Amino acid sequence: MSEASTFDVIIVGGGVAGLTAGLFAARHGRSTLIIVPFMVGGQLATIGAIEDFPGFPEGIAGYDLGPIVQEQAVAAGAQFKMVDATGLASIGTHWRVQSTEGAIDARAVIIASGSSARMLNVPGEERFTGQGISHCASCDGPLLKGKRIVIVGAGDSGLQEALTLTTWAQSIVILEQAPSPSAQASYLKRANENAKIRIHCELLVDAIQGGDAIEGVHARHRRTGAINRFDADAVFVYAGLAPNTRWLNGAVELDPRGYIVTDLQMHTRHAGLFAAGDVRADSASQAITAAGDGATAAMAAHRYLQTATPGEYSPP
Ligand SMILES: Cc1cc2nc3c(=O)[nH]c(=O)nc-3n(C[C@H](O)[C@H](O)[C@H](O)COP(=O)(O)OP(=O)(O)OC[C@H]3O[C@@H](n4cnc5c(N)ncnc54)[C@H](O)[C@@H]3O)c2cc1C
């Protein structure tokens, strides 16, 4: 694209927040473009079983849920473009999204670029990423029949993925730096009842070690300093998330942790600019809340487009 094309609403991100925003914006008659790098679904695309999304009492695979919402958004009229957003700027009454294939303009933009797994920043991590270190149990689990797995992080994601991995793994050790796991009671109960899973708390991973392949994980006890070594053939890291906001290059106000600040209507401090899902400050980081944010942001963007006279609108 050499000339910038113009939409009512551009949504950056094709996770459940972006797809739901696209569905609602298009259903309100807004010309809507969803920008997503290569594959829709975002984090959902990596999750085997989501048990707490309302409407699916038997649970649903995240990688099935994403395409269903995409289908709804397409049926409502949302368009998709498979590119990376690389920048954002206000140009008078519009916003300009820079992408890897040129500029695209809109009167309102919803940022739904989500979050990515936080790195441990320990020796061995870079070397073994994609070669034994993973963030997706349903993708890599089938390759790990009879293997010893270490999971870093005993939050919801860590335990949920551990339970998925029990299908294939010989043993699963979960290492948590806090004094106790933070996962939901239902996951914790099932993990404690599963003979393959052991949870160790107050351990900080120091290194992932091996030769041609991963052989083990070194972890230091937070209080005593004692070093523990756990044999491992693969390591799964669920040690928190980092917001995908670097592409904004300072164009939007962020909180000290790098998340986008919004009001309850998902409006940022910038007129016509909204944020939804895991990328925004105070998100509950759940699929259902991301979807709710997306719907709220799209409806707020629609109202903004109906009423805002450039120069008169004063965002919160
Ligand atoms: C292992 C795991 C298990 C989970 N289990 C559950 C569960 O059981 N129940 C539950 O409710 N939640 C669960 N979650 C959390 C849930 O998946 C997320 O809260 C939700 O998917 C966030 O959606 P999102 O759309 O805000 O962001 P994301 O899913 O992160 O999507 C962000 C999108 O933005 C795109 N993007 C990023 N940068 C750019 C850019 N520069 N340009 C264009 N596009 C960009 C990405 O490619 C992606 O499409 C789990 C998460 C993980 C990691």
Side-chain angles (χ1 to χ4, degrees), residues 12-18 35-44 46-47 49-53 83-86 112-116 135 156-157 160-161 187 238 241 244 247 276-279 284-290:
V12 179
V16 67
I35 292 179
V36 54
F38 56 97
M39 181 181 75
V40 298
Q43 293 171 63
L44 285 188
T46 68
I47 304 169
I50 297 189
E51 298 173 7
D52 50 11
F53 199 91
V83 289
D84 269 302
T86 54
S113 49
S115 55
S116 302
H135 305 279
D156 279 353
S157 303
Q160 191 181 355
E161 296 283 83
Y187 291 137
Y238 304 102
L241 297 164
N244 296 323
W247 66 276
D278 278 20
V279 76
S285 299
Q286 295 294 300
I288 188 62
T289 58

Side-chain angles (χ1 to χ4, degrees), residues 175-195:
L175 304 179
E176 167 59 51
Q177 61 168 340
S180 58
S182 60
Q184 294 175 27
S186 62
Y187 291 137
L188 206 49
K189 182 170 182 294
R190 271 148 62 197
N192 285 333
E193 285 168 0
N194 193 307

Side-chain angles (χ1 to χ4, degrees), residues 7-93:
F7 290 82
D8 288 337
V9 183
I10 290 176
I11 295 151
V12 179
V16 67
L19 294 172
T20 309
L23 167 64
F24 275 73
R27 284 180 63 86
H28 279 81
R30 296 295 171 186
S31 61
T32 302
L33 180 72
I34 301 177
I35 292 179
V36 54
F38 56 97
M39 181 181 75
V40 298
Q43 293 171 63
L44 285 188
T46 68
I47 304 169
I50 297 189
E51 298 173 7
D52 50 11
F53 199 91
F56 297 97
E58 305 299 323
I60 180 166
Y63 47 74
D64 289 335
L65 183 57
I68 293 173
V69 189
Q70 180 186 24
E71 214 176 296
Q72 277 180 285
V74 169
Q79 296 177 52
F80 283 79
K81 191 162 180 61
M82 299 301 193
V83 289
D84 269 302
T86 54
L88 179 70
S90 166
I91 48 162
T93 58

Side-chain angles (χ1 to χ4, degrees), residues 154 174-181 199-204 221-222:
I174 304 179
L175 304 179
E176 167 59 51
Q177 61 168 340
S180 58
I199 304 175
H200 298 266
C201 292
E202 293 197 85
L203 287 181
L204 280 168
H221 195 278
R222 281 184 76 149

Side-chain angles (χ1 to χ4, degrees), residues 100-124:
T100 36
E101 288 185 21
I104 320 169
D105 294 347
R107 287 172 62 208
V109 168
I110 299 172
I111 301 169
S113 49
S115 55
S116 302
R118 208 175 272 285
M119 304 284 286
L120 297 172
N121 293 317
V122 297

